Coordinates of all heavy atoms in Angstrom, one line a residue:
F975 N 12.9 -15.0 -9.0 CA 12.0 -14.0 -9.7 C 11.1 -14.8 -10.7 O 9.9 -14.4 -10.9 CB 12.8 -13.0 -10.5 CG 11.9 -12.0 -11.3 CD1 11.1 -11.1 -10.6 CD2 11.8 -12.1 -12.7 CE1 10.2 -10.3 -11.3 CE2 11.0 -11.3 -13.4 CZ 10.2 -10.4 -12.7
R976 N 11.6 -15.8 -11.4 CA 10.8 -16.6 -12.3 C 9.6 -17.1 -11.7 O 8.5 -17.1 -12.2 CB 11.6 -17.7 -13.0 CG 10.8 -18.5 -14.0 CD 11.7 -19.5 -14.7 NE 12.6 -18.9 -15.6 CZ 12.3 -18.5 -16.9 NH1 11.1 -18.7 -17.3 NH2 13.2 -17.9 -17.6
K977 N 9.7 -17.7 -10.5 CA 8.6 -18.2 -9.8 C 7.7 -17.1 -9.4 O 6.4 -17.2 -9.5 CB 9.0 -19.0 -8.6 CG 7.9 -19.6 -7.7 CD 8.3 -20.4 -6.5 CE 8.7 -21.8 -6.9 NZ 9.0 -22.6 -5.7
Y978 N 8.2 -16.0 -8.9 CA 7.4 -14.9 -8.5 C 6.6 -14.4 -9.7 O 5.4 -14.1 -9.5 CB 8.2 -13.8 -7.9 CG 7.3 -12.6 -7.5 CD1 6.5 -12.7 -6.3 CD2 7.2 -11.5 -8.3 CE1 5.6 -11.7 -6.0 CE2 6.3 -10.5 -8.0 CZ 5.5 -10.6 -6.8 OH 4.6 -9.6 -6.5
W979 N 7.2 -14.2 -10.8 CA 6.5 -13.7 -12.0 C 5.3 -14.6 -12.3 O 4.2 -14.2 -12.7 CB 7.5 -13.6 -13.2 CG 6.7 -13.4 -14.5 CD1 6.5 -14.3 -15.5 CD2 6.1 -12.2 -14.9 NE1 5.8 -13.7 -16.5 CE2 5.5 -12.4 -16.1 CE3 5.9 -10.9 -14.3 CZ2 4.8 -11.5 -16.8 CZ3 5.2 -9.9 -15.0 CH2 4.6 -10.2 -16.2
S980 N 5.5 -15.9 -12.2 CA 4.4 -16.9 -12.5 C 3.2 -16.6 -11.6 O 2.1 -16.6 -12.0 CB 4.9 -18.3 -12.3 OG 3.8 -19.2 -12.4
Y981 N 3.5 -16.3 -10.3 CA 2.4 -16.0 -9.4 C 1.8 -14.6 -9.8 O 0.5 -14.5 -9.8 CB 2.9 -15.9 -8.0 CG 3.0 -17.3 -7.3 CD1 4.2 -17.6 -6.6 CD2 2.0 -18.2 -7.4 CE1 4.4 -18.8 -6.0 CE2 2.2 -19.5 -6.8 CZ 3.4 -19.8 -6.1 OH 3.5 -21.0 -5.5
F982 N 2.6 -13.7 -10.0 CA 2.1 -12.3 -10.3 C 1.2 -12.2 -11.5 O 0.1 -11.7 -11.4 CB 3.3 -11.4 -10.4 CG 3.0 -9.9 -10.7 CD1 2.6 -9.1 -9.7 CD2 3.0 -9.4 -12.0 CE1 2.2 -7.8 -9.9 CE2 2.7 -8.1 -12.2 CZ 2.3 -7.3 -11.2
H983 N 1.7 -12.7 -12.6 CA 0.9 -12.6 -13.8 C -0.3 -13.5 -13.9 O -1.2 -13.3 -14.7 CB 1.8 -12.7 -15.1 CG 1.8 -14.0 -15.7 ND1 2.6 -15.1 -15.3 CD2 1.1 -14.5 -16.8 CE1 2.4 -16.1 -16.1 NE2 1.5 -15.8 -17.0
R984 N -0.3 -14.5 -13.0 CA -1.5 -15.4 -12.9 C -2.5 -14.9 -11.8 O -3.4 -15.6 -11.5 CB -1.1 -16.8 -12.6 CG -0.4 -17.5 -13.8 CD -0.2 -19.0 -13.5 NE 0.7 -19.2 -12.4 CZ 0.6 -20.2 -11.5 NH1 -0.5 -21.0 -11.5 NH2 1.5 -20.3 -10.5
N985 N -2.2 -13.7 -11.3 CA -3.1 -13.1 -10.3 C -3.2 -13.9 -9.0 O -4.3 -14.1 -8.4 CB -4.5 -12.9 -10.9 CG -4.5 -11.9 -12.1 OD1 -3.7 -11.0 -12.1 ND2 -5.3 -12.3 -13.1
L986 N -2.1 -14.4 -8.5 CA -2.0 -15.2 -7.3 C -1.1 -14.5 -6.2 O -0.5 -15.2 -5.4 CB -1.5 -16.6 -7.6 CG -2.4 -17.4 -8.5 CD1 -1.8 -18.7 -8.9 CD2 -3.8 -17.7 -7.8
Q987 N -1.1 -13.2 -6.3 CA -0.3 -12.4 -5.3 C -1.3 -11.5 -4.6 O -2.2 -11.0 -5.3 CB 0.7 -11.6 -6.0 CG 1.2 -10.3 -5.4 CD 2.0 -10.5 -4.2 OE1 3.1 -11.2 -4.3 NE2 1.6 -10.0 -3.1
P988 N -1.3 -11.3 -3.3 CA -2.2 -10.3 -2.7 C -2.3 -9.0 -3.4 O -1.3 -8.5 -3.9 CB -1.6 -10.1 -1.3 CG -1.0 -11.5 -1.0 CD -0.4 -11.9 -2.3
W989 N -3.5 -8.5 -3.5 CA -3.9 -7.3 -4.2 C -4.1 -7.5 -5.7 O -4.6 -6.6 -6.4 CB -3.0 -6.1 -3.9 CG -3.1 -5.6 -2.5 CD1 -4.1 -4.9 -1.9 CD2 -2.0 -5.6 -1.6 NE1 -3.7 -4.5 -0.7 CE2 -2.5 -5.0 -0.4 CE3 -0.7 -6.2 -1.6 CZ2 -1.7 -4.9 0.8 CZ3 0.0 -6.1 -0.4 CH2 -0.5 -5.4 0.7
T990 N -3.8 -8.6 -6.2 CA -4.1 -8.9 -7.7 C -5.5 -9.3 -7.8 O -6.2 -9.7 -6.8 CB -3.2 -10.0 -8.2 OG1 -3.4 -11.2 -7.5 CG2 -1.7 -9.6 -8.2
P991 N -6.1 -9.2 -9.0 CA -5.5 -9.0 -10.3 C -5.0 -7.5 -10.6 O -5.8 -6.6 -10.4 CB -6.6 -9.4 -11.3 CG -7.8 -9.3 -10.6 CD -7.6 -9.5 -9.1
Y992 N -3.8 -7.4 -11.0 CA -3.2 -6.1 -11.3 C -4.0 -5.3 -12.3 O -4.3 -4.1 -12.1 CB -1.8 -6.4 -11.8 CG -1.1 -5.2 -12.5 CD1 -0.4 -4.2 -11.7 CD2 -1.3 -5.0 -13.9 CE1 0.1 -3.1 -12.4 CE2 -0.7 -3.9 -14.5 CZ 0.0 -2.9 -13.7 OH 0.5 -1.8 -14.3
W993 N -4.4 -5.9 -13.4 CA -5.1 -5.2 -14.4 C -6.5 -4.7 -14.0 O -6.8 -3.5 -14.3 CB -5.2 -6.0 -15.7 CG -3.9 -6.1 -16.4 CD1 -3.1 -7.2 -16.5 CD2 -3.2 -5.1 -17.1 NE1 -1.9 -7.0 -17.2 CE2 -2.0 -5.7 -17.6 CE3 -3.4 -3.8 -17.4 CZ2 -1.0 -4.9 -18.3 CZ3 -2.5 -3.0 -18.1 CH2 -1.3 -3.6 -18.5
E994 N -7.2 -5.5 -13.3 CA -8.5 -5.0 -12.8 C -8.3 -3.9 -11.8 O -9.1 -2.9 -11.8 CB -9.2 -6.2 -12.1 CG -9.7 -7.3 -13.1 CD -10.7 -6.7 -14.1 OE1 -11.4 -5.8 -13.8 OE2 -10.6 -7.3 -15.2
H995 N -7.3 -3.9 -11.0 CA -7.0 -2.8 -10.1 C -6.8 -1.5 -10.9 O -7.4 -0.5 -10.6 CB -5.7 -3.2 -9.3 CG -5.5 -2.4 -8.0 ND1 -5.3 -1.1 -8.0 CD2 -5.5 -2.9 -6.7 CE1 -5.2 -0.7 -6.7 NE2 -5.3 -1.8 -5.9
L996 N -5.9 -1.6 -11.9 CA -5.6 -0.4 -12.7 C -6.8 0.1 -13.4 O -7.1 1.3 -13.5 CB -4.5 -0.6 -13.6 CG -3.1 0.0 -13.2 CD1 -2.6 -0.8 -11.9 CD2 -2.1 -0.1 -14.3
K997 N -7.6 -0.8 -14.0 CA -8.8 -0.4 -14.8 C -9.8 0.3 -13.9 O -10.5 1.2 -14.3 CB -9.3 -1.6 -15.5 CG -8.5 -2.1 -16.7 CD -9.0 -3.3 -17.3 CE -8.1 -3.9 -18.4 NZ -8.6 -5.1 -19.0
E998 N -10.0 -0.2 -12.7 CA -10.9 0.5 -11.8 C -10.4 1.9 -11.5 O -11.3 2.8 -11.5 CB -11.0 -0.3 -10.5 CG -11.8 -1.6 -10.6 CD -12.2 -2.2 -9.3 OE1 -11.9 -1.6 -8.2 OE2 -12.9 -3.3 -9.3

Side-chain angles (χ1 to χ4, degrees):
F975 179 72
R976 178 174 289 277
K977 177 180 280 191
Y978 179 75
W979 168 255
S980 175
Y981 282 132
F982 179 79
H983 96 277
R984 290 188 295 143
N985 300 323
L986 293 173
Q987 153 74 57
W989 291 290
T990 61
Y992 165 87
W993 286 108
E994 291 300 328
H995 200 296
L996 259 66
K997 288 175 184 178
E998 287 193 2

